[in-house]
Amino acid sequence: MSDPIEKSRLDLSAYLPYRLSILSNTVSSAIAALYEQKHQLSVADWRIMAVLGMEPDRALTQTELCSRTRMDKVQVSRAIKRLLNMGHVDRIMDPKDRRRAYLTLTKPGQRVYDDVAPITLAWERAFLSRLSKADAQTLDVMLTLLQTIADEMSVQKPCPPSEP
């Protein structure tokens, strides 16, 4: 691979943001095939459910979901609407501020999470098993470092706060 700093013409096959996006889309699509048909969930739907399922005793706002998923406000809003309609998510209005709502998984939503999460984790294990243990550890370190650098360099937050 050529030195990215020395490039003057954009070559998408060597452009890191493009490569990361393609990889992310490929991996997300492969995993989505495991839950889309059975549970009628989109990638965005599952991401919202996965975040809510990580802390089942804690309700999150739409702004918190935007921040944790790095999806934009419109994507999150549409996913929440679908999940509400499917009965997977419950919305509780803040009695002190009616503009703020807290979201949690419903019991049926928790059952879907409990069905899908182990399948996605098994897929991840199979995927990473094709790397050596050292390479998998290096990948984890590098992804963490790249995320930290991207956060530092980011000029725009993924979901501006709409709540006071």
Side-chain angles (χ1 to χ4, degrees):
M1 187 162 130
S2 63
D3 184 354
I5 296 172
E6 297 297 320
K7 294 178 193 169
S8 62
R9 183 179 176 139
L10 181 62
D11 173 7
L12 288 179
S13 67
Y15 183 58
L16 181 64
Y18 181 77
R19 293 175 69 199
L20 290 172
S21 177
I22 295 299
L23 176 60
S24 175
N25 290 343
T26 304
V27 168
S28 291
S29 294
I31 294 171
L34 303 173
Y35 57 75
E36 279 179 329
Q37 188 170 2
K38 183 175 182 181
H39 294 290
Q40 292 73 52
L41 297 172
S42 70
V43 171
D45 298 341
W46 172 242
R47 284 186 184 160
I48 296 300
M49 291 187 71
V51 170
L52 292 173
M54 284 176 38
E55 298 179 70
D57 297 328
R58 182 163 183 255
L60 298 174
T61 65
Q62 179 173 322
T63 298
E64 289 171 313
L65 290 167
C66 287
S67 177
R68 290 181 185 208
T69 61
R70 301 294 174 109
M71 295 188 309
D72 68 47
K73 191 175 183 176
V74 173
Q75 283 179 295
V76 170
S77 181
R78 287 180 181 156
I80 290 169
K81 184 176 180 179
R82 283 189 302 272
L83 293 168
L84 285 165
N85 289 338
M86 287 189 269
H88 295 327
V89 169
D90 192 21
R91 179 178 15 213
I92 301 138
M93 300 307 292
D94 184 335
K96 296 177 186 169
D97 185 348
R98 303 288 296 163
R99 296 171 295 175
R100 180 179 293 140
Y102 294 94
L103 300 148
T104 58
L105 291 178
T106 60
K107 287 193 187 311
Q110 186 65 50
R111 283 192 295 272
V112 170
Y113 174 87
D114 291 342
D115 182 52
V116 174
I119 296 166
T120 63
L121 289 170
W123 191 96
E124 178 193 41
R125 278 191 302 276
F127 182 72
L128 292 175
S129 74
R130 296 182 179 205
L131 300 178
S132 70
K133 188 172 183 173
D135 284 346
Q137 289 172 338
T138 299
L139 175 63
D140 183 59
V141 169
M142 292 307 300
L143 288 173
T144 301
L145 178 59
L146 288 172
Q147 185 65 57
T148 299
I149 293 168
D151 289 343
E152 290 170 0
M153 294 179 68
S154 179
V155 294
Q156 183 179 0
K157 296 296 179 200
C159 187
S162 60
E163 299 148 0

